[in-house]
Amino acid sequence: MRVIFSGGGTGGHIYPALAVLERLKERDLLDEVLYIGTEKGLESRIIRQKQIPFEAIELQGFKRSLSLENLKTIKLFLQSTRRAKQILRDFKPDVVVGTGGYVSSAVLFAAARLHIPTVINEQNSVAGITNRFLGRYVDRISIAFPEVAEQFPKAKVVLTGNPRAQQVAGIKPNQRLTDFKLQPTIPTLLIFGGSRGAERINAAFLEALPELNQKDYQVLFVSGRVHYAKIQKALAEQTVAANVAVVPYINDMQTVLPDIAVILGRAGATSLAEITALGIPSILVPSPYVTNDHQTKNAQSLVSHQAAEMITENELTGTSLLKVTDHLMQNQSLRQAMGEQARQLGVPDAADRFIKVMQDLIH
Ligand SMILES: CC(=O)N[C@H]1[C@@H](OP(=O)(O)OP(=O)(O)OC[C@H]2O[C@@H](n3ccc(=O)[nH]c3=O)[C@H](O)[C@@H]2O)O[C@H](CO)[C@@H](O)[C@@H]1O
């Protein structure tokens, strides 16, 4: 089939699309693909790096308060819808897939207007602004959390899980830790604040570092690209022991995750799909800066099944970070139990379920 994907801004909206793409290729179902994103979003680097045909359109998100910027947003939306229609007419896709982020609003809206089959994936437990808008126009809405169904037209909703889950589900530990000069045999804590990094998590890590340096476990800390220079500056005045590795970003995170004992991070929906697909115990620090506090709701769905622990950003300091991580890192049976609970929530065939929705739409 010929497929156009659109979604982005952050990794949580990009990796589900890549997971579907990879699975289509594996099953020999893909004839041609095009990805439409913005230059500003993480997709421009991630998609181009993977040598996937990429077109950029210019768009921006709505400001929540009334502002003149919103007039510009509307103007850009209309312009980019026109541009998207042109791309769609040229490419002639069989189906257009949207994975969230404002860029997908123009592309999926344009596709629906041209009567091309459309499907969107809502990764979160609360629908994002873009997907809520698109819900009216698209043909199918794939969801990962049952509770989000009521925010969309009922007849269009299909529970598929997050396609990224399938991409990571079968991956076995493969000693990737050596790439970061860490030992593959020592339990490792991964600390990262979503695809863009999180200042408060980074600050707590720096505060905890003198003690982390002395642990009998290892720490892989990912700062986020935009925060890396600042972190390096701070680290120039501190010791970083051999059991701690610091990097700006991890490409192909799916190959590292199976080697991780515990994750401390945000509660972005795609991260949670990975955590549950692999059964990794986690300590979640939901971002308080997202629409309708959806990360807290995402996190609660794991916490209520004893599949994760949660601490708020306000509670997060160097001291509390050490307390919660030590508790898990020093207790293997607790890790195992929590990991097992997490795995129960995973959807290891989510990409195939999503592809079935695409196939049903075009046949
Ligand atoms: C601030 C914001 O708006 N966050 C949203 C965004 O988060 P964000 O993009 O941070 O999303 P997630 O945590 O869901 O996913 C992050 C993705 O990036 C990958 N990764 C991360 C770091 C790294 O170094 N390398 C790497 O590959 C992770 O493995 C994962 O696949 O989309 C999610 C999915 O809709 C939402 O739930 C989040 O609320």
Side-chain angles (χ1 to χ4, degrees), residues 22-35:
E22 186 184 287
R23 188 64 185 147
L24 283 169
K25 280 187 188 159
E26 267 171 22
R27 291 179 53 189
D28 207 11
L29 291 170
L30 190 72
D31 293 317
E32 214 168 324
V33 62
L34 177 66
Y35 197 107

PDB file of all heavy atoms in Angstrom, residues 22-35:
ATOM      1  N   GLU A  22       7.716   0.268  10.092  1.00  0.00           N
ATOM      2  CA  GLU A  22       8.638  -0.870  10.122  1.00  0.00           C
ATOM      3  C   GLU A  22       7.889  -2.193   9.968  1.00  0.00           C
ATOM      4  O   GLU A  22       8.307  -3.103   9.250  1.00  0.00           O
ATOM      5  CB  GLU A  22       9.419  -0.867  11.435  1.00  0.00           C
ATOM      6  CG  GLU A  22      10.487  -1.932  11.465  1.00  0.00           C
ATOM      7  CD  GLU A  22      11.204  -1.998  12.812  1.00  0.00           C
ATOM      8  OE1 GLU A  22      11.989  -1.087  13.098  1.00  0.00           O
ATOM      9  OE2 GLU A  22      10.955  -2.969  13.565  1.00  0.00           O
ATOM     10  N   ARG A  23       6.733  -2.289  10.644  1.00  0.00           N
ATOM     11  CA  ARG A  23       5.949  -3.528  10.588  1.00  0.00           C
ATOM     12  C   ARG A  23       5.361  -3.739   9.186  1.00  0.00           C
ATOM     13  O   ARG A  23       5.316  -4.863   8.689  1.00  0.00           O
ATOM     14  CB  ARG A  23       4.837  -3.461  11.650  1.00  0.00           C
ATOM     15  CG  ARG A  23       4.067  -4.726  11.831  1.00  0.00           C
ATOM     16  CD  ARG A  23       4.930  -5.868  12.354  1.00  0.00           C
ATOM     17  NE  ARG A  23       4.169  -7.096  12.391  1.00  0.00           N
ATOM     18  CZ  ARG A  23       4.679  -8.312  12.189  1.00  0.00           C
ATOM     19  NH1 ARG A  23       5.967  -8.462  11.946  1.00  0.00           N
ATOM     20  NH2 ARG A  23       3.908  -9.372  12.241  1.00  0.00           N
ATOM     21  N   LEU A  24       4.937  -2.657   8.528  1.00  0.00           N
ATOM     22  CA  LEU A  24       4.431  -2.784   7.151  1.00  0.00           C
ATOM     23  C   LEU A  24       5.522  -3.340   6.244  1.00  0.00           C
ATOM     24  O   LEU A  24       5.282  -4.209   5.406  1.00  0.00           O
ATOM     25  CB  LEU A  24       3.975  -1.419   6.623  1.00  0.00           C
ATOM     26  CG  LEU A  24       2.632  -0.882   7.108  1.00  0.00           C
ATOM     27  CD1 LEU A  24       2.458   0.587   6.701  1.00  0.00           C
ATOM     28  CD2 LEU A  24       1.462  -1.714   6.568  1.00  0.00           C
ATOM     29  N   LYS A  25       6.741  -2.840   6.460  1.00  0.00           N
ATOM     30  CA  LYS A  25       7.871  -3.321   5.640  1.00  0.00           C
ATOM     31  C   LYS A  25       8.132  -4.788   5.930  1.00  0.00           C
ATOM     32  O   LYS A  25       8.307  -5.581   5.006  1.00  0.00           O
ATOM     33  CB  LYS A  25       9.131  -2.517   5.960  1.00  0.00           C
ATOM     34  CG  LYS A  25       9.181  -1.166   5.277  1.00  0.00           C
ATOM     35  CD  LYS A  25      10.546  -0.542   5.532  1.00  0.00           C
ATOM     36  CE  LYS A  25      10.598   0.888   5.044  1.00  0.00           C
ATOM     37  NZ  LYS A  25      11.671   1.642   5.688  1.00  0.00           N
ATOM     38  N   GLU A  26       8.176  -5.132   7.230  1.00  0.00           N
ATOM     39  CA  GLU A  26       8.433  -6.531   7.618  1.00  0.00           C
ATOM     40  C   GLU A  26       7.433  -7.478   6.966  1.00  0.00           C
ATOM     41  O   GLU A  26       7.758  -8.580   6.572  1.00  0.00           O
ATOM     42  CB  GLU A  26       8.261  -6.683   9.135  1.00  0.00           C
ATOM     43  CG  GLU A  26       9.528  -6.532   9.930  1.00  0.00           C
ATOM     44  CD  GLU A  26       9.219  -6.469  11.434  1.00  0.00           C
ATOM     45  OE1 GLU A  26       8.137  -6.938  11.882  1.00  0.00           O
ATOM     46  OE2 GLU A  26      10.063  -5.931  12.149  1.00  0.00           O
ATOM     47  N   ARG A  27       6.183  -7.014   6.889  1.00  0.00           N
ATOM     48  CA  ARG A  27       5.126  -7.882   6.333  1.00  0.00           C
ATOM     49  C   ARG A  27       4.985  -7.705   4.820  1.00  0.00           C
ATOM     50  O   ARG A  27       4.055  -8.209   4.223  1.00  0.00           O
ATOM     51  CB  ARG A  27       3.800  -7.581   7.054  1.00  0.00           C
ATOM     52  CG  ARG A  27       3.816  -8.051   8.505  1.00  0.00           C
ATOM     53  CD  ARG A  27       2.530  -7.736   9.224  1.00  0.00           C
ATOM     54  NE  ARG A  27       1.355  -8.240   8.516  1.00  0.00           N
ATOM     55  CZ  ARG A  27       0.094  -7.943   8.846  1.00  0.00           C
ATOM     56  NH1 ARG A  27      -0.146  -7.148   9.884  1.00  0.00           N
ATOM     57  NH2 ARG A  27      -0.918  -8.427   8.166  1.00  0.00           N
ATOM     58  N   ASP A  28       5.894  -6.959   4.256  1.00  0.00           N
ATOM     59  CA  ASP A  28       5.906  -6.734   2.817  1.00  0.00           C
ATOM     60  C   ASP A  28       4.597  -6.121   2.312  1.00  0.00           C
ATOM     61  O   ASP A  28       4.065  -6.493   1.271  1.00  0.00           O
ATOM     62  CB  ASP A  28       6.192  -8.073   2.106  1.00  0.00           C
ATOM     63  CG  ASP A  28       6.849  -7.848   0.755  1.00  0.00           C
ATOM     64  OD1 ASP A  28       7.260  -6.700   0.487  1.00  0.00           O
ATOM     65  OD2 ASP A  28       6.923  -8.805  -0.038  1.00  0.00           O
ATOM     66  N   LEU A  29       4.090  -5.174   3.082  1.00  0.00           N
ATOM     67  CA  LEU A  29       2.808  -4.560   2.724  1.00  0.00           C
ATOM     68  C   LEU A  29       2.976  -3.128   2.209  1.00  0.00           C
ATOM     69  O   LEU A  29       2.008  -2.465   1.872  1.00  0.00           O
ATOM     70  CB  LEU A  29       1.877  -4.521   3.955  1.00  0.00           C
ATOM     71  CG  LEU A  29       1.353  -5.873   4.447  1.00  0.00           C
ATOM     72  CD1 LEU A  29       0.652  -5.722   5.796  1.00  0.00           C
ATOM     73  CD2 LEU A  29       0.369  -6.446   3.420  1.00  0.00           C
ATOM     74  N   LEU A  30       4.229  -2.655   2.203  1.00  0.00           N
ATOM     75  CA  LEU A  30       4.437  -1.248   1.870  1.00  0.00           C
ATOM     76  C   LEU A  30       4.977  -1.071   0.454  1.00  0.00           C
ATOM     77  O   LEU A  30       5.994  -1.658   0.101  1.00  0.00           O
ATOM     78  CB  LEU A  30       5.433  -0.633   2.866  1.00  0.00           C
ATOM     79  CG  LEU A  30       5.565   0.869   2.798  1.00  0.00           C
ATOM     80  CD1 LEU A  30       4.321   1.550   3.366  1.00  0.00           C
ATOM     81  CD2 LEU A  30       6.800   1.340   3.554  1.00  0.00           C
ATOM     82  N   ASP A  31       4.270  -0.261  -0.345  1.00  0.00           N
ATOM     83  CA  ASP A  31       4.790   0.048  -1.679  1.00  0.00           C
ATOM     84  C   ASP A  31       5.606   1.330  -1.638  1.00  0.00           C
ATOM     85  O   ASP A  31       6.719   1.401  -2.116  1.00  0.00           O
ATOM     86  CB  ASP A  31       3.642   0.182  -2.679  1.00  0.00           C
ATOM     87  CG  ASP A  31       2.958  -1.152  -2.882  1.00  0.00           C
ATOM     88  OD1 ASP A  31       3.685  -2.146  -3.000  1.00  0.00           O
ATOM     89  OD2 ASP A  31       1.715  -1.209  -2.876  1.00  0.00           O
ATOM     90  N   GLU A  32       4.996   2.371  -1.060  1.00  0.00           N
ATOM     91  CA  GLU A  32       5.736   3.641  -0.979  1.00  0.00           C
ATOM     92  C   GLU A  32       5.254   4.426   0.228  1.00  0.00           C
ATOM     93  O   GLU A  32       4.091   4.312   0.629  1.00  0.00           O
ATOM     94  CB  GLU A  32       5.524   4.453  -2.250  1.00  0.00           C
ATOM     95  CG  GLU A  32       6.775   5.242  -2.588  1.00  0.00           C
ATOM     96  CD  GLU A  32       6.724   5.845  -3.989  1.00  0.00           C
ATOM     97  OE1 GLU A  32       6.176   5.212  -4.915  1.00  0.00           O
ATOM     98  OE2 GLU A  32       7.227   6.960  -4.117  1.00  0.00           O
ATOM     99  N   VAL A  33       6.176   5.229   0.775  1.00  0.00           N
ATOM    100  CA  VAL A  33       5.828   5.973   1.984  1.00  0.00           C
ATOM    101  C   VAL A  33       6.316   7.415   1.875  1.00  0.00           C
ATOM    102  O   VAL A  33       7.318   7.706   1.222  1.00  0.00           O
ATOM    103  CB  VAL A  33       6.447   5.296   3.242  1.00  0.00           C
ATOM    104  CG1 VAL A  33       7.958   5.282   3.186  1.00  0.00           C
ATOM    105  CG2 VAL A  33       5.977   5.991   4.521  1.00  0.00           C
ATOM    106  N   LEU A  34       5.566   8.299   2.523  1.00  0.00           N
ATOM    107  CA  LEU A  34       6.004   9.690   2.667  1.00  0.00           C
ATOM    108  C   LEU A  34       5.633  10.136   4.073  1.00  0.00           C
ATOM    109  O   LEU A  34       4.552   9.815   4.570  1.00  0.00           O
ATOM    110  CB  LEU A  34       5.272  10.570   1.634  1.00  0.00           C
ATOM    111  CG  LEU A  34       5.573  12.067   1.726  1.00  0.00           C
ATOM    112  CD1 LEU A  34       7.030  12.356   1.377  1.00  0.00           C
ATOM    113  CD2 LEU A  34       4.661  12.860   0.783  1.00  0.00           C
ATOM    114  N   TYR A  35       6.546  10.871   4.705  1.00  0.00           N
ATOM    115  CA  TYR A  35       6.269  11.382   6.057  1.00  0.00           C
ATOM    116  C   TYR A  35       6.160  12.905   5.962  1.00  0.00           C
ATOM    117  O   TYR A  35       7.025  13.567   5.390  1.00  0.00           O
ATOM    118  CB  TYR A  35       7.423  11.000   7.000  1.00  0.00           C
ATOM    119  CG  TYR A  35       7.062  11.099   8.464  1.00  0.00           C
ATOM    120  CD1 TYR A  35       6.859   9.961   9.236  1.00  0.00           C
ATOM    121  CD2 TYR A  35       6.901  12.343   9.086  1.00  0.00           C
ATOM    122  CE1 TYR A  35       6.511  10.053  10.579  1.00  0.00           C
ATOM    123  CE2 TYR A  35       6.551  12.436  10.424  1.00  0.00           C
ATOM    124  CZ  TYR A  35       6.365  11.288  11.168  1.00  0.00           C
ATOM    125  OH  TYR A  35       6.015  11.378  12.492  1.00  0.00           O
TER     126      TYR A  35
END
